Amino acid sequence: MQNYPREALVLGRLLDEKARMHGSKTFLRFRDTDLTYGQLDDMVNRVAAGLRRLGVGHGDKVALMLPNCPEFLYITFALAKLGAVEVPINTGYKGDLLEHVITSSDSTVLVVAEEWLDRFAAVEPSLAKVQRVIVHQPGNGPPSGLHAEMHSLRSLLDNRQLSTGLDVWHGDLQAIMYTSGTTGPSKGVMVSHAQACTLALEWCRFVAYTPNDVIYSPLPLFHGIAHTCGVAAALLTDSSIAIAERFSTSRFWEDVRNYRATVAHGIFSMFHILLNQPPAPNDKDHTLRCAWLGQSAMDQAFSERFGTRIVETYGSTEVGIATGSPYGEWRPGSCGQVNSGTYDVRLVDDRDRELPAGETGEIVVRPLIPFSITSGYYNFPEATVETFRNLWFHTGDLAYRDKDGFFFFVDRKKDSIRRRGENIAAFDVERVLNTHPAVLESAVIAVPSELGEDEIKACIVLHAEATVSPEELAAYCDERMAKFMVPRYFEFRDDLPKTTTEKIEKYKLRAEGDRGITPESWDRTKSGA
């Protein structure tokens, strides 16, 4: 794998260089469309020139809400060339959470698929900083639907030249990636060009990625996995990436075979579903040598059936890959050893005292290389100071390590939920529930899922004499939040367990019944609602 000077880790500049070196080599495969490095660079330059004519410049925040499509890459790299800052938005967001991401990121330009314009129209009165909206639409007519200045993404492709001499350096902010909050709203992780490239390069090292490999990613481009460990990783290794619109159980292996993919992205539930499919004679008839996801508990079963290994590492949007094992030297169930040379990683107790082998503590990380982890949360200085206390980044995750230095992930210390591959802040779900006129207060917790991640349970206290059915509350949530955020379980209670300072003791809720699920828990899935 090529060694890059830190100063060279600038995404827009890297695309220019790769287009000159490998102009005719395929970079992106999407549906029936293949794009070479040269074709991608040409489209990116057109979009960058168009954005610049609209006034987008260095440091400007541009929010984009697009499905997986080539245009997503055009915008990503165009902003990188301009030194502007990309703010990818989860395509499931709506209402207060959508408004929060746009306003807290100081976004002045929106790039949105036409199908989701109505969501922005619903919160437009609160988007005072937004000056322009660029619409990705299937038709040819002028976009409409919002009061801001409207443009078609297609019109940006009419531009031909991008002025040279743009001053972008590796420490500049490349993106603000929103991840789940712990005791407050979702926060935007500030990611520099060098940090994004460092994550991509480390990912390539842990999966032994080469220019002859092909990445297959059915994950959304608004997430760091497909975005950075996919697109940026392929760019840095002179290779190719195949992107699906979304994960499909029936199409996964068909896509792998069609693209001749050698490495795949995934989340735990995806591979659990694949293992649960009926065996087929061609289960091992493919080119996929490994799949990369957060947990390796299924490695043996997956390898025996499909001939594909599962690679586990530990990391996050904020810190990149903090632990991992050299390719092929894995320890079952372990997320590897410290990624030495890039990070220092410790396990500490609640007083930040380092713990010995065998004891469970919080994972804390600090960089050994400049711009290899986030510089903080955008517009959340208090959260940044708290998370970086004592000069260590506190991940909020619990693990232990064995005597050989292998780390084993235990659980999330922070109040977040992992469901269907999404990180969900309990606060964001509670905020919606608490706006219902019948609800006095709520507490949202993670409970076990049959698919190996989490399900969401909402514990509800109603106002005196108020009544509402769980079906009505579920429908209320459906209208106001992304589908993956809507609780599966609802339970009505007279009160919630609290400390003397009125903080809800969620650990007590999780300890009730079967790890939080009680006979009083209404199950939306089983009810068919």
Side-chain angles (χ1 to χ4, degrees):
M1 186 169 63
Q2 181 178 345
N3 290 321
Y4 292 90
R6 298 297 290 175
E7 295 75 13
L9 299 181
V10 180
L11 284 177
R13 194 179 306 152
L14 284 166
L15 178 57
D16 287 335
E17 176 186 330
K18 302 298 184 177
R20 288 192 298 269
M21 294 171 57
H22 311 292
S24 60
K25 182 175 182 176
T26 298
F27 176 77
L28 171 69
R29 301 191 68 186
F30 178 79
R31 278 192 269 166
D32 299 323
T33 301
D34 286 0
L35 279 176
T36 67
Y37 279 82
Q39 289 169 331
L40 174 62
D41 192 48
D42 177 60
M43 302 298 272
V44 167
N45 283 336
R46 295 185 190 193
V47 171
L51 289 171
R52 199 170 195 193
R53 286 190 174 91
L54 293 180
V56 177
H58 196 285
D60 288 337
K61 316 302 187 299
V62 177
L64 59 154
M65 191 175 191
L66 296 173
N68 281 8
C69 58
E71 289 79 6
F72 200 118
L73 273 61
Y74 303 165
I75 297 293
T76 292
F77 284 111
L79 295 174
K81 288 194 176 192
L82 295 172
V85 182
E86 172 190 7
V87 185
I89 302 178
N90 188 310
T91 56
Y93 283 2
K94 62 178 80 169
D96 290 345
L97 187 51
L98 177 61
E99 174 192 332
H100 164 72
V101 170
I102 297 170
T103 56
S104 65
S105 65
D106 292 326
S107 293
T108 57
V109 178
L110 305 180
V111 183
V112 58
E114 187 177 43
E115 61 186 298
W116 297 313
L117 269 177
D118 58 333
R119 300 189 198 175
F120 290 88
V123 298
E124 188 178 24
S126 302
L127 307 182
K129 294 180 181 178
V130 174
Q131 301 168 3
R132 297 174 181 83
V133 178
I134 300 168
V135 183
H136 179 33
Q137 60 193 100
N140 294 316
S144 62
L146 299 176
H147 295 97
E149 183 181 309
M150 305 286 286
H151 301 270
S152 167
L153 197 157
R154 184 180 289 105
S155 68
L156 300 185
L157 297 175
D158 294 336
N159 295 277
R160 291 289 179 180
Q161 297 294 325
L162 174 66
S163 300
T164 58
L166 300 179
D167 185 18
V168 184
W169 73 295
H170 66 286
D172 278 342
L173 199 57
Q174 184 267 322
I176 299 174
M177 307 288 287
Y178 275 78
T179 187
S180 65
T182 54
T183 57
S186 301
K187 298 179 287 294
V189 180
M190 293 189 283
V191 178
S192 67
H193 284 260
Q195 181 189 341
C197 292
T198 299
L199 170 56
L201 289 168
E202 297 291 345
W203 178 87
C204 291
R205 183 161 63 87
F206 284 114
V207 298
Y209 199 77
T210 74
N212 296 320
D213 281 305
V214 176
I215 304 169
Y216 173 65
S217 187
L219 301 181
L221 284 167
F222 58 72
H223 271 183
I225 297 177
H227 189 280
T228 306
C229 301
V231 174
L235 180 74
L236 285 157
T237 52
D238 309 331
S239 64
S240 304
I241 180 168
I243 296 174
E245 291 172 285
R246 63 187 63 84
F247 170 70
S248 166
T249 307
S250 60
R251 288 185 55 186
F252 181 88
W253 290 113
E254 178 185 341
D255 281 350
V256 165
R257 295 182 183 102
N258 179 49
Y259 296 126
R260 299 192 62 79
T262 55
V263 181
H265 289 154
I267 57 174
F268 187 85
S269 58
M270 281 171 41
F271 291 93
H272 183 91
I273 292 169
L274 291 173
L275 273 173
N276 282 341
Q277 300 305 300
N282 63 343
D283 274 345
K284 292 185 178 180
D285 181 19
H286 58 78
T287 53
L288 197 67
R289 60 177 173 83
C290 73
W292 180 74
L293 63 155
Q295 299 179 15
S296 61
M298 293 179 294
D299 177 52
Q300 181 176 351
F302 209 80
S303 178
E304 289 176 355
R305 175 168 172 183
F306 297 110
T308 297
R309 300 301 304 268
I310 291 179
V311 180
E312 178 180 359
T313 59
Y314 172 79
S316 68
T317 305
E318 291 94 335
V319 303
I321 299 178
T323 69
S325 298
Y327 189 80
E329 299 179 22
W330 308 298
R331 185 163 295 193
S334 171
C335 51
Q337 297 172 301
V338 174
N339 186 0
S340 58
T342 305
Y343 306 102
D344 191 358
V345 184
R346 309 281 177 88
L347 296 175
V348 300
D349 64 13
D350 288 339
R351 296 184 179 180
D352 278 358
R353 295 174 296 195
E354 187 175 2
L355 297 172
E359 291 194 25
T360 297
E362 182 177 6
I363 303 171
V364 295
V365 182
R366 62 184 175 192
L368 301 177
I369 300 173
F371 303 111
S372 57
I373 74 169
T374 184
S375 56
Y377 298 108
Y378 187 78
N379 273 340
F380 283 86
E382 294 86 358
T384 299
V385 171
E386 169 62 18
T387 305
F388 279 90
R389 63 186 180 275
N390 293 326
L391 301 180
W392 289 89
F393 179 85
H394 289 65
T395 65
D397 290 327
L398 300 174
Y400 69 91
R401 72 179 185 278
D402 64 17
K403 59 183 178 59
D404 298 321
F406 282 84
F407 284 69
F408 293 79
F409 181 83
V410 174
D411 202 351
R412 283 172 289 277
K413 183 178 181 180
K414 49 188 171 182
D415 186 19
S416 65
I417 301 166
R418 179 76 172 179
R419 186 189 193 198
R420 300 174 191 173
E422 304 285 352
N423 289 320
I424 301 163
F427 175 89
D428 291 326
V429 182
E430 292 163 352
R431 180 167 54 178
V432 173
L433 286 167
N434 292 342
T435 62
H436 191 284
V439 174
L440 174 64
E441 62 179 341
S442 64
V444 168
I445 61 172
V447 294
S449 166
E450 301 91 335
L451 296 180
E453 292 186 326
D454 300 326
E455 286 289 357
I456 302 174
K457 177 181 175 181
C459 300
I460 308 292
V461 177
L462 300 179
H463 288 287
E465 300 181 5
T467 59
V468 64
S469 69
E471 292 90 342
E472 290 171 328
L473 266 185
Y476 184 81
C477 292
D478 275 333
E479 295 175 359
R480 292 166 174 81
M481 63 177 74
K483 184 177 181 180
F484 61 80
M485 297 173 64
V486 178
R488 171 177 172 176
Y489 299 97
F490 290 79
E491 180 177 322
F492 296 103
R493 307 170 58 98
D494 293 331
D495 54 34
L496 296 171
K498 295 180 180 178
T499 67
T500 55
T501 56
E502 292 300 298
K503 292 183 179 179
I504 298 173
E505 297 174 309
K506 291 191 177 182
Y507 73 92
K508 291 184 177 180
L509 297 175
R510 297 188 188 99
E512 294 177 351
D514 181 10
R515 293 179 292 174
I517 302 174
T518 69
E520 292 75 31
S521 302
W522 177 79
D523 185 343
R524 187 183 189 189
T525 300
K526 291 183 178 179
S527 73

